[in-house]
Amino acid sequence: MTPATVAETGRKVVSSVEKVIIGKHQVIELVLCALFSEGHLLIEDVPGVGKTMLAKAVARSLGCSYARIQCTPDLLPSDILGVNVFNQKTGDFLFRSGPIHHHIVLVDEINRATPKTQSALLECMEERQVSIDTVTMALPRPFMVIATQNPIETDGTFPLPEAQLDRFFMRLSLGYPSFDAENEMLVGQQLVHPIEGIKAVVTLEELMAMQQIVKAVHVEATLREYIVKIVQKTRDSSTLSLGASPRGSLSLFRASQAHGALKGRDYVIPDDVKAMASVTLSHRIKGRYDFSRNGEGQRVIQEVLGEVTVPV
């Protein structure tokens, strides 16, 4: 399997998902970049634009198992991870797994869960394992968390702390569809939802093989230095009180590899880094004032890109 195979498979998956999510080609490609890089997604957008359908369509197109967690203030960590239940007949404890034990897990409205429940996801996302009592269990591979939150409604919510935000590989926004896309959506869903017709276009084994191919995509030394300079520039910015972390450098590195592979290349070019910078770094920085709701984070990253010399 080669990067050309990754690009061809990526086109098949994008085409499959576009049967449901119309007019969002670039966003779907970014989701694949995160998945091929073994990262997690945070999707911030208003209700009704297709966040849940996007996660479900990607899971079906890839043949992955899928689970949805609806976050509420009374949601407990055990509701996500699972719990040991005592069996009176046998006198033993039986483990009942939670919804986190799936390949793709949608955590809907994550900021409505309490900090205690939010923190239960940290080990799952970073170590890809769960610890119940004294037992540690590995999560299935591939594994991806797609979390959503509504940036408009803040009443009764618990904002994600920086440590939690940093675990997310990318932060995306779907946005409203265009006139033609919305009109096509009305026609397509008149009789039956197109999600019912989506079939897997790739196997789990092929998906995991593509993840390994992405890791092998060549990154020239000058491009590695370019990535580090971008991240370090965010730490020196006078408009920021918190710059991107080393995990941000690694995310931008991996995302650039995935972007190059999806374009059919076995090497990374500066345009790959530029394309991935905003989505991998904007949620890892913090301004001296709150700019989380008006796209200021993306604007700051674009300014940083303009200040760092692009390698030839």
Side-chain angles (χ1 to χ4, degrees):
M1 187 174 289
T2 64
T5 308
V6 175
E8 178 61 29
T9 304
R11 285 191 288 270
K12 291 181 181 179
V13 176
V14 170
S15 178
S16 176
V17 176
E18 283 184 322
K19 295 176 183 178
V20 178
I21 308 298
I22 303 170
K24 299 297 178 182
H25 183 91
Q26 185 178 7
V27 174
I28 300 171
E29 277 195 343
L30 290 174
V31 174
L32 291 185
C33 282
L35 184 62
F36 291 164
S37 304
E38 301 184 59
H40 307 288
L41 279 178
L42 176 63
I43 305 179
E44 286 187 346
D45 221 321
V46 296
V49 295
K51 300 185 293 292
T52 301
M53 280 296 111
L54 174 63
K56 187 180 293 186
V58 169
R60 289 201 177 194
S61 299
L62 296 170
C64 296
S65 62
Y66 167 83
R68 179 177 181 269
I69 301 170
Q70 180 61 55
C71 293
T72 57
D74 60 348
L75 187 72
L76 299 175
S78 58
D79 297 329
I80 296 176
L81 307 180
V83 64
N84 286 316
V85 179
F86 183 71
N87 188 326
Q88 293 183 343
K89 292 183 179 180
T90 62
D92 297 324
F93 282 94
L94 297 177
F95 177 69
R96 292 186 178 177
S97 62
I100 201 67
H101 297 266
H102 286 79
H103 295 120
I104 295 181
V105 181
L106 175 68
V107 184
D108 203 13
E109 295 187 290
I110 188 173
N111 55 335
R112 293 200 177 278
T114 61
K116 181 178 181 180
T117 302
Q118 290 176 7
S119 65
L121 291 169
L122 291 178
E123 182 184 12
C124 304
M125 295 171 65
E126 191 66 20
E127 280 82 29
R128 286 172 165 74
Q129 64 183 29
V130 297
S131 297
I132 306 294
D133 296 334
T134 60
V135 179
T136 299
M137 290 164 284
L139 291 170
R141 293 296 185 97
F143 173 71
M144 183 185 201
V145 171
I146 301 179
T148 73
Q149 60 179 7
N150 180 357
I152 305 301
E153 291 183 355
T154 57
D155 293 338
T157 62
F158 304 89
L160 294 176
E162 279 67 32
Q164 184 97 17
L165 283 172
D166 201 42
R167 257 64 173 195
F168 286 101
F169 186 79
M170 286 184 185
R171 180 174 66 178
L172 304 178
S173 175
L174 275 170
Y176 289 115
S178 65
F179 177 87
D180 292 337
E182 194 161 1
N183 186 47
E184 186 178 344
M185 179 191 70
L186 298 181
V187 175
Q189 297 189 26
Q190 181 173 352
L191 299 178
V192 62
H193 201 292
I195 190 71
E196 302 301 329
I198 289 186
K199 305 296 182 182
V201 296
V202 61
T203 65
L204 291 179
E205 291 75 17
E206 290 173 334
L207 174 57
M208 295 179 70
M210 286 187 288
Q211 290 177 336
Q212 297 305 313
I213 291 295
V214 166
K215 289 181 180 180
V217 171
H218 178 68
V219 184
E220 188 67 32
T222 54
L223 280 177
R224 292 199 304 270
E225 294 172 0
Y226 180 51
I227 290 172
V228 174
K229 287 177 181 178
I230 291 172
V231 174
Q232 291 197 339
K233 192 71 175 178
T234 65
R235 301 168 192 166
D236 301 332
S237 174
S238 60
T239 61
L240 299 177
S241 61
L242 178 68
S245 67
R247 190 184 282 119
S249 300
L250 185 57
S251 295
L252 180 53
F253 180 86
R254 293 293 190 201
S256 301
Q257 288 179 302
H259 191 265
L262 279 174
K263 299 303 179 183
R265 288 183 269 104
D266 60 356
Y267 56 90
V268 171
I269 62 175
D271 285 346
D272 296 324
V273 179
K274 292 179 180 179
M276 296 292 104
S278 290
V279 292
T280 55
L281 299 180
S282 63
H283 61 290
R284 304 176 194 273
I285 60 177
K286 187 175 182 180
R288 299 190 183 280
Y289 60 94
D290 183 18
F291 58 44
S292 59
R293 300 183 195 172
N294 55 11
E296 280 295 293
Q298 288 87 345
R299 185 188 64 79
V300 170
I301 296 300
Q302 291 304 314
E303 288 181 355
V304 168
L305 289 174
E307 296 172 0
V308 179
T309 302
V310 181
V312 177

